Amino acid sequence: MHTESAGSATEASEAVAGEAGAEVRSVRGPRSVRTRYFAVAAAIGLTSGLLAMLFAWALFAVEQGRNAIVTSLRAHPYWGWMVMPLCGLVIGCAIGRLVERVDHDAAGSGIPHVKGVLFRLRAMNWKSLIPVKFIGGVLGIGAGLSLGREGPTVQMGAAVGQGVGKMLGVSNKVLPQLISCGAGAGLSAAFNAPLAGFIFVIEELRREMSALTYGAALIAAVMADVVARGLMGEVPSFHTGPIPAAPLAALPAVILLGLVVGCIAVGFNRALVWSERRIREQRRVPRWALPGIAAALVGLIGWWLPVATGGGHGTAEMVLGGKYAAAGAIMLVGLL
């Protein structure tokens, strides 16, 4: 079954790639048409950047609130450890019901769903996806689940691209490119890195070689970064001190590190796919209750190891700042 699904995805990818040239030719036309298309891409970038910043601010607020609650509960060790697991159970079940009833495509990181939409294997409803993803992400990270903001921001950016395109009456043939622009803009705003968003579109989402795709993706990514820098300031995604250049003698260790990390990444991805299949196959626990069980376990772990909860951005900065004891917490975040 896995081979059949992989084959269908490959065939869909080839079909989309084969139609890409026709789609690009259909919108090249006069210069005024291209100018309008690039203006739409800029609007998508601005909107995606603003949404990404609102999401980042909301996540920062709920994480600060969670840390403050845990700190205050430590004054009551006999019963304080039970509060976060109970809150996680309630919040997680609420997220599960929200996703199940309103938009089930809001589950997961969101990037596989965007790829499925571009390969025409999945559908997207931007009107329901954006609020469900936003609210679910804020509540999930607020409960301590190890969710990053990058995947949700990419998916919401893609939904913005679809929404702006539909509201402006853009042809359905061009809509996949606008979805890609929105996804790249979301990544650009999340990492404050426009080139990363641009390359993400070219390498992962739209692989046709056309100036239209390059131009629209770059415009959307840059405009999203303009919004992010204007609202958040000229700051990098991670704050680190001066790092000296590694000596040439350390090159073998760097190569070994790359091999080890690559193997861990492959194993982690396969473990995720395996666990998702097993969870789908089980029928004893309702699917909407699974996030609640996970959040309850995370709340229990967070009592003893609070740095292992949430998105992990602060923990990563701790390691980059020289606090290597947090590395074990990062591994725990990945396992959860």
Side-chain angles (χ1 to χ4, degrees), residues 76-334:
H76 310 281
Y78 293 105
W79 55 267
W81 62 273
M82 296 186 294
V83 175
M84 293 308 294
L86 291 175
C87 291
L89 179 63
V90 174
I91 293 174
C93 290
I95 295 172
R97 294 293 282 183
L98 178 67
V99 171
E100 185 179 65
R101 287 182 173 271
V102 182
D103 195 328
H104 63 273
D105 290 324
S109 72
I111 296 178
H113 172 247
V114 174
K115 288 186 175 182
V117 171
L118 295 176
F119 290 157
R120 297 175 185 172
L121 300 174
R122 303 281 296 275
M124 177 184 286
N125 184 355
W126 67 274
K127 293 181 180 179
S128 59
L129 178 62
I130 292 176
V132 172
K133 195 70 176 184
F134 193 101
I135 296 172
V138 171
L139 291 178
I141 293 181
L145 293 175
S146 55
L147 308 171
R149 61 186 173 93
E150 291 76 20
T153 305
V154 168
Q155 189 181 25
M156 288 191 293
V160 167
Q162 184 193 51
V164 172
K166 285 186 174 294
M167 286 189 292
L168 295 179
V170 174
S171 170
N172 288 332
K173 292 183 177 181
V174 185
L175 205 55
Q177 292 210 17
L178 299 184
I179 292 175
S180 301
C181 291
L187 186 68
S188 171
F191 283 108
N192 206 359
L195 287 180
F198 169 68
I199 294 174
F200 174 71
V201 174
I202 300 303
E203 289 189 346
E204 291 291 328
L205 302 180
R206 306 291 295 180
R207 297 188 178 183
E208 83 247 17
M209 303 293 290
S210 71
L212 184 71
T213 299
Y214 293 163
L218 184 59
I219 289 172
V222 170
M223 295 308 295
D225 187 63
V226 168
V227 174
R229 291 177 184 268
L231 296 177
M232 301 290 287
E234 296 284 340
V235 294
S237 181
F238 290 98
H239 300 275
T240 61
I243 301 176
L248 189 59
L251 183 59
V254 173
I255 295 174
L256 179 61
L257 176 64
L259 293 173
V260 172
V261 172
C263 292
I264 293 175
V266 171
F268 180 65
N269 288 335
R270 291 182 177 177
L272 281 180
V273 174
W274 178 86
S275 62
E276 287 180 355
R277 287 178 181 170
R278 294 297 177 268
I279 289 175
R280 290 196 192 100
E281 292 172 356
Q282 68 85 28
R283 295 291 184 269
R284 296 181 179 179
V285 181
R287 294 194 64 179
W288 59 266
L290 294 174
I293 296 174
L297 293 174
V298 169
L300 187 61
I301 294 173
W303 176 258
W304 288 278
L305 195 60
V307 293
T309 59
H313 189 95
T315 307
E317 284 195 345
M318 290 172 59
V319 176
L320 292 173
K323 299 178 181 179
Y324 301 108
I330 291 181
M331 295 182 65
L332 181 60
V333 169

Side-chain angles (χ1 to χ4, degrees), residues 9 15-16 19 23 47 54 56 72 92 101 149 203 219 296 298 312 335:
V16 172
E19 296 174 0
E23 294 177 7
T47 309
L54 291 175
S72 63
R101 287 182 173 271
R149 61 186 173 93
E203 289 189 346
I219 289 172
V298 169
L335 293 174

